[in-house]
Amino acid sequence: MTSPASVGGDERLRLFLGLRVPEQALDTIEDWQREHLRDMRLVPREHLHLTLAFLGHRPARELPGILDALHEAAAGVQGGLRLTPARYRETRSVAMLVYEDEGGRAGLLAADVQERLERLGAYRREGRPWLPHLTVGRFRARPGLRPELPNMGTYVLIPSDASAYLSRLRPGGAQYEILETVALGGL
């Protein structure tokens, strides 16, 4: 576990909770992005994550409770998480890799942390089910790509921790800062 960055009580923070991508998987994703994605701004390596819950702007005084919710949900993970690339998808403004959640454990973690955040009044669930995905690019006009998936034989995401992120909007795109990281399974 790392300690949270310093923030003031009345300040509003743009927050989300997410699974960090293991280093070895980042190499594969970064190579795949360069080889297959064009006509878009690639999400940099240090910003790749799987969002568990996007909280938006929250008062900084809520941060301790949000971090507690992350710790408690992460401690309950049993058996580890295993995510395999299933398909490429484009929305109105982003390119993403959608993952198969083997055993459904990542989905259970997302549901657990979202429920804990709802009880705090810091989050409201979306009307659609949680979708395990990595946003890999952003664009103004859909490029309509149909790239091959990253090499399935060597590329499986097995995250070992989750983090609370601070997101600062900048002209060149959002900049993320990890406020705290916690091991999955209470390790």
Side-chain angles (χ1 to χ4, degrees):
M1 171 180 84
T2 60
S3 35
S6 172
V7 291
D10 290 333
E11 184 181 356
R12 293 192 63 80
L13 307 173
R14 188 171 188 259
L15 300 171
F16 66 91
L17 305 180
L19 294 170
R20 292 190 328 138
V21 178
E23 283 297 317
Q24 66 274 17
L26 288 171
D27 293 337
T28 302
I29 296 166
E30 200 171 35
D31 291 345
W32 177 84
Q33 285 175 301
R34 280 194 300 269
E35 184 178 341
H36 294 284
L37 302 183
R38 63 183 187 286
D39 300 326
M40 68 181 73
R41 184 173 38 119
L42 301 180
V43 173
R45 174 188 188 100
E46 62 274 11
H47 290 179
L48 292 169
H49 66 276
L50 285 94
T51 302
L52 294 168
F54 179 76
L55 289 80
H57 289 90
R58 305 302 311 165
R61 68 180 171 278
E62 291 181 359
L63 186 58
I66 291 166
L67 295 176
D68 286 347
L70 177 62
H71 279 263
E72 292 163 6
V77 173
Q78 296 182 5
L81 308 179
R82 188 175 173 93
L83 299 143
T84 306
R87 61 189 162 92
Y88 170 82
R89 177 179 178 207
E90 293 176 1
T91 67
R92 286 181 308 204
S93 60
V94 303
M96 62 177 68
L97 286 173
V98 177
Y99 287 81
E100 177 69 32
D101 178 12
E102 296 179 25
R105 289 186 292 276
L108 291 173
L109 171 60
D112 186 13
V113 77
Q114 290 171 10
E115 182 179 317
R116 290 172 190 278
L117 293 168
E118 279 183 322
R119 286 195 306 255
L120 290 173
Y123 182 76
R124 192 164 137 216
R125 282 187 230 210
E126 297 179 15
R128 58 183 182 229
W130 179 74
L131 180 68
H133 71 277
L134 282 178
T135 298
V136 292
R138 299 186 185 283
F139 45 77
R140 293 191 192 279
R142 273 189 199 178
L145 302 176
R146 297 192 193 301
E148 297 175 15
L149 293 176
N151 185 331
M152 303 275 282
T154 59
Y155 171 49
V156 175
L157 259 180
I158 305 176
S160 61
D161 54 45
S163 296
Y165 293 81
L166 173 64
S167 173
R168 291 188 174 98
L169 299 178
R170 304 277 191 238
Q175 296 296 306
Y176 303 149
E177 175 185 349
I178 293 176
L179 298 176
E180 186 157 315
T181 296
V182 60
L184 300 178
L187 302 174

